[in-house]
Amino acid sequence: MCGIAGYVSAGKIPANRATAVERMCRAMVHRGPDDTGVADLHGATLGMRRLAIFDPANGHQPMKSSDGRFTLVFNGAIYNFRELRRELELQGHAFRTQCDTEVLLAAYVEWREQCLTRLRGMFAFAVWDAVEGTLFAARDAFGIKPLYYARRPRGGVVFASELRALFASDAVTREIDPASIGEYLAWFTVPAPRTMFSGVANLPPGHWLRCDQLGRVHTGAWWHFPQARGDIAGTYEDFVAGLRAQLDDSIRAHRLADVPVGAFLSGGIDSSAVVGLMARSGAAKLKTFSLVFDESDYSEKSSAQLVADAFGTDHHAELITGERVAADLPKIIAAFDQPTGDGINTYYASQTARQGGVTVALSGLGGDELFGGYAAFTDIPRLHRWLPRWRVLPAGLQKRILRHLQSRPDTRARKLADLLAHARDLHELASLRRRVLPEGTRLELLAPEARRHAERLGPHHPLLEDFASELAGADAFQTVSAWEMRTYMADVLLRDSDVFSMAHSLELRVPLVDRPLIEWLWPQQTVFKFDRRVLKRALADATRDIVPEAIRQRPKQGFTLPFPLWMRGALRPFLEESFSSASIATCPWLQADAVKQLWRQFSDGHDNRAWSRVWTVAMLIQFCHQGRRT
């Protein structure tokens, strides 16, 4: 795991280019405290910060090929590097280290961009070709590792693992894009390839990038959700056996490291399955970490302890209080370089794991998306079946129903109104399901400039047309699953997991977000993958022999913090300050009166479901405020 950076430009004086890359690397020390390196090449300068996981004594980057033609910087982990190494040795490649970086470089030398389909892991890397004078970069299939880039006005390209690094180069201007404000209020994030900043792009998951010294950039997708039918199980028993084999294989791959490895353990089925599979695969005295709260309705302490006891792990439960979060908020806000309404749980879990002596931790992230853990897997197909009947209702009756739903105080009624008002098919339903704010509320919160952009872009997800085409032929379960993976999982959960784990120099791995596992699971019969009567039945049955029955049978409880209670208690002073006139003024794209009304409705009301909307706006204001100070 590392932070990578680079500057491609024919016109920039090499010494100035190297200084810019060194500044970018210094801005990412937390991503790689173990080593640093900068390579000044003809036409490009590459840099990195390293968190040493494989062969810590070796693997210095940037790394050059034996003939000097290719230079690589790499962030992530390639779990099948040993298998690839044996294959490459047969092709005549010799190796000096035991690290995955050298294998990745040799794979690119041998197969060029075709190496991407051979890689099992999480990655964002860049390779400079000294002969062609071009840079090739790529990001893993699901967006576990980030890569941001910006084109220079006078030619050239700057890239890095974090936005803060781009701005540290002094080659990129930190200018908020007014259109991004409305996107953030809609989706909890600004969907790739855009970011919060004008002229700065986020390379989408499963994409590659190629650029030259003049700053000409071309991008394309190297991975799509598979269309071909593979090894399809004929019976449920065969499916469960196949799933278990895939899970075992993924855990074995993700456990590989030359440093201590632990796991997050919330007490839910996803993290319990990961921990159980790790213990069964031979992990000696596994360290596990969970967050607990004084608020019993939110705490999973007893469930996590049950699993820890079942597998004999060295378990640490960290108590998190509203007062502690309030005191830590300046550090938490400083850790992200784009606003987020999520991720604080990952901040504390990562901090706890790093302080507990591990450098790598495995998480159960991805289980809900693969095995139907969200209500959307039931609600969206049901609503889709009703849409034709809704469409034939008289327009006047539709308007009366929508007005009634929009006037209701609860968030579920308002979300239903949004879906009925804007969705025409399954893809629109699946994408709109992840909206944070109803369209009417979102537009009311936006000042005129940002509102014009929001009205121009419309209520739908920017990926709608392209992604719907990619998913042609997918059934309802696959459609909802893919939308969850490509939007909320990629743009929020995985992004925040990277940001907040790296803030503590922790490599966070997600064995359920594994390309071989997902490619095997995708074409399997939906009736095997999902049973609306039994939550995540497939995962529970595949791990029946290791996960305690009490965990397999318990109702779903998300890995969340008691924000609704804290926001009316310990976090209230922070929020009062955030929603003050002075703070809102730092974000001129918001309508101050509407923002204050949103806060008053929550603070004086009883709808706890609305907390995420209020928190999302508060984080945006704090982000703008932070930008004014830097």
Side-chain angles (χ1 to χ4, degrees):
M1 186 77 74
C2 304
I4 63 173
Y7 197 153
V8 178
S9 175
K12 189 77 172 177
I13 299 172
N16 295 342
R17 200 172 57 210
T19 299
V21 173
E22 287 168 357
R23 283 198 298 263
M24 287 194 281
C25 289
R26 283 197 295 271
M28 297 188 292
V29 171
H30 52 282
R31 296 189 72 92
D34 299 328
D35 190 18
T36 188
V38 172
D40 197 15
L41 312 163
H42 181 68
T45 302
L46 305 182
M48 59 78 64
R49 295 290 321 190
R50 185 187 184 203
L51 178 64
I53 304 297
F54 295 115
D55 194 5
N58 298 293
H60 178 77
Q61 297 183 47
M63 184 177 286
K64 286 190 176 183
S65 59
S66 58
D67 62 0
R69 175 176 176 175
F70 299 103
T71 304
L72 167 74
V73 285
F74 161 51
N75 169 30
I78 306 301
Y79 304 126
N80 63 335
F81 77 95
R82 288 173 180 148
E83 294 91 331
L84 291 174
R85 176 182 174 132
R86 289 192 289 270
E87 185 177 356
L88 288 161
E89 284 174 334
L90 295 176
Q91 301 295 325
H93 292 268
F95 295 91
R96 297 173 289 105
T97 74
Q98 299 297 320
C99 70
D100 54 344
T101 303
E102 189 179 16
V103 174
L104 174 58
L105 177 58
Y108 185 82
V109 170
E110 181 68 27
W111 299 305
R112 299 299 195 268
E113 57 264 34
Q114 280 71 41
C115 74
L116 295 170
T117 59
R118 297 172 178 260
L119 302 178
R120 180 182 198 172
M122 54 181 185
F123 56 83
F125 69 84
V127 181
W128 175 252
D129 184 338
V131 173
E132 294 188 358
T134 59
L135 182 91
F136 178 84
R139 195 174 174 205
D140 64 71
F142 302 103
I144 306 171
K145 293 288 98 188
L147 189 65
Y148 301 99
Y149 66 97
R151 283 183 256 195
R152 297 278 293 132
R154 297 174 183 171
V157 172
V158 185
F159 69 87
S161 298
E162 293 187 0
L163 291 167
R164 77 180 79 247
L166 288 182
F167 301 131
S169 71
D170 286 340
V172 179
T173 303
R174 192 184 194 279
E175 180 182 342
I176 291 178
D177 177 3
S180 72
I181 303 297
E183 292 286 89
Y184 170 74
L185 292 181
W187 309 109
F188 243 168
T189 184
V190 180
R194 294 179 49 221
T195 69
M196 289 294 298
F197 301 99
S198 298
V200 180
N202 176 8
L203 186 66
H207 276 63
W208 54 263
L209 174 151
R210 193 184 303 279
C211 71
D212 61 18
Q213 298 172 60
L214 298 177
R216 293 175 295 198
V217 174
H218 302 279
T219 63
W222 68 266
W223 189 87
H224 299 279
F225 281 90
Q227 301 296 321
R229 306 295 290 183
D231 180 18
I232 309 299
T235 67
Y236 185 66
E237 291 71 21
D238 289 344
F239 166 77
V240 169
L243 176 58
R244 176 58 177 270
Q246 293 289 330
L247 292 170
D248 282 335
D249 184 54
S250 182
I251 291 296
R252 280 193 296 268
H254 284 75
R255 269 191 55 215
L256 290 176
D258 296 325
V259 294
V261 179
F264 292 176
L265 178 58
S266 68
I269 181 65
D270 303 332
S271 64
S272 297
V274 168
V275 168
L277 292 165
M278 290 177 73
R280 181 61 64 91
S281 68
K285 202 55 181 177
L286 177 64
K287 289 187 174 184
T288 55
F289 307 90
S290 66
L291 306 182
V292 298
F293 316 107
D294 290 330
E295 295 81 2
S296 58
D297 289 345
Y298 292 83
S299 187
E300 296 183 281
K301 181 178 182 179
S302 60
S303 298
Q305 192 63 56
L306 174 65
V307 177
D309 292 342
F311 300 119
T313 72
D314 179 4
H315 186 63
H316 179 74
E318 183 75 2
L319 177 65
I320 306 297
T321 66
E323 289 76 14
R324 179 175 174 181
V325 174
D328 289 342
L329 272 174
K331 291 184 292 185
I332 295 170
I333 292 169
F336 59 66
D337 46 18
Q338 293 194 87
T340 177
D342 204 352
I344 292 182
N345 50 0
T346 306
Y347 178 91
Y348 282 111
S350 300
Q351 182 184 68
T352 302
R354 197 65 166 106
Q355 292 174 350
V358 303
T359 310
V360 174
L362 273 60
S363 160
L365 190 156
D368 287 322
E369 290 78 6
L370 295 187
F371 301 107
Y374 296 127
F377 285 91
T378 299
D379 296 345
I380 294 302
R382 180 188 297 129
L383 190 55
H384 179 237
R385 290 192 295 271
W386 278 92
L387 269 185
R389 302 183 187 184
W390 165 258
R391 289 297 172 197
V392 299
L393 290 178
L397 179 57
Q398 286 186 0
K399 289 180 181 179
R400 287 197 297 274
I401 293 173
L402 291 177
R403 281 197 299 267
H404 172 69
L405 291 172
Q406 290 162 350
S407 67
R408 295 269 300 275
D410 59 293
T411 58
R412 288 178 64 86
R414 294 177 185 177
K415 175 158 283 190
L416 176 59
D418 242 27
L419 293 173
L420 292 174
H422 301 295
R424 295 163 296 180
D425 58 33
L426 181 62
H427 289 285
E428 293 185 355
L429 286 170
S431 62
L432 286 169
R433 188 260 175 184
R434 277 297 174 186
R435 284 186 62 100
V436 180
L437 291 160
E439 184 66 357
T441 303
R442 181 176 78 119
L443 295 177
E444 288 173 1
L445 290 173
L446 296 173
E449 181 184 10
R451 179 168 180 154
R452 283 194 295 273
H453 285 288
E455 290 173 335
R456 173 179 58 84
L457 294 171
H460 294 292
H461 197 281
L463 279 180
L464 181 62
E465 184 176 342
D466 290 342
F467 203 44
S469 176
E470 179 179 338
L471 295 175
D475 65 22
F477 178 87
Q478 290 173 319
T479 298
V480 175
S481 177
W483 273 104
E484 290 290 341
M485 281 191 272
R486 183 57 189 85
T487 56
Y488 184 60
M489 187 183 83
D491 289 333
V492 179
L493 297 181
L494 290 174
R495 181 201 63 180
D496 290 351
S497 293
D498 175 81
V499 168
F500 289 125
S501 61
M502 284 282 88
H504 300 290
S505 304
L506 179 81
E507 175 165 299
L508 186 59
R509 298 178 177 178
V510 282
L512 298 182
V513 188
D514 176 58
R515 187 163 64 86
L517 167 63
I518 291 172
E519 289 178 345
W520 177 87
L521 187 63
W522 177 262
Q524 302 298 324
Q525 297 183 56
T526 292
V527 69
F528 294 162
K529 290 184 287 188
F530 178 66
D531 184 341
R532 64 173 57 89
R533 300 165 301 177
V534 182
L535 182 68
K536 290 189 263 194
R537 176 191 175 195
L539 181 60
D541 286 350
T543 56
R544 179 181 296 276
D545 60 319
I546 56 175
V547 175
E549 183 177 2
I551 300 300
R552 289 187 281 110
Q553 299 294 333
R554 70 189 290 260
K556 175 179 172 60
Q557 181 175 343
F559 185 25
T560 57
L561 281 64
F563 268 101
L565 307 181
W566 292 349
M567 288 168 65
R568 296 186 178 100
L571 296 180
R572 188 175 186 113
F574 165 80
L575 291 165
E576 293 283 7
E577 188 276 330
S578 297
F579 291 113
S580 67
S581 297
S583 291
I584 298 172
T586 65
C587 193
W589 303 278
L590 294 178
Q591 197 75 265
D593 290 342
V595 169
K596 291 178 181 180
Q597 178 66 13
L598 181 74
W599 164 237
R600 284 194 298 269
Q601 287 176 344
F602 173 80
S603 61
D604 298 339
H606 303 285
D607 183 8
N608 285 347
R609 290 176 177 269
W611 78 265
S612 62
R613 299 175 178 182
V614 178
W615 189 255
T616 295
V617 177
M619 289 299 98
L620 175 61
I621 294 169
Q622 287 294 325
F623 169 76
C624 294
H625 192 194
Q626 181 186 37
R628 291 292 180 93
R629 295 194 299 264
T630 57

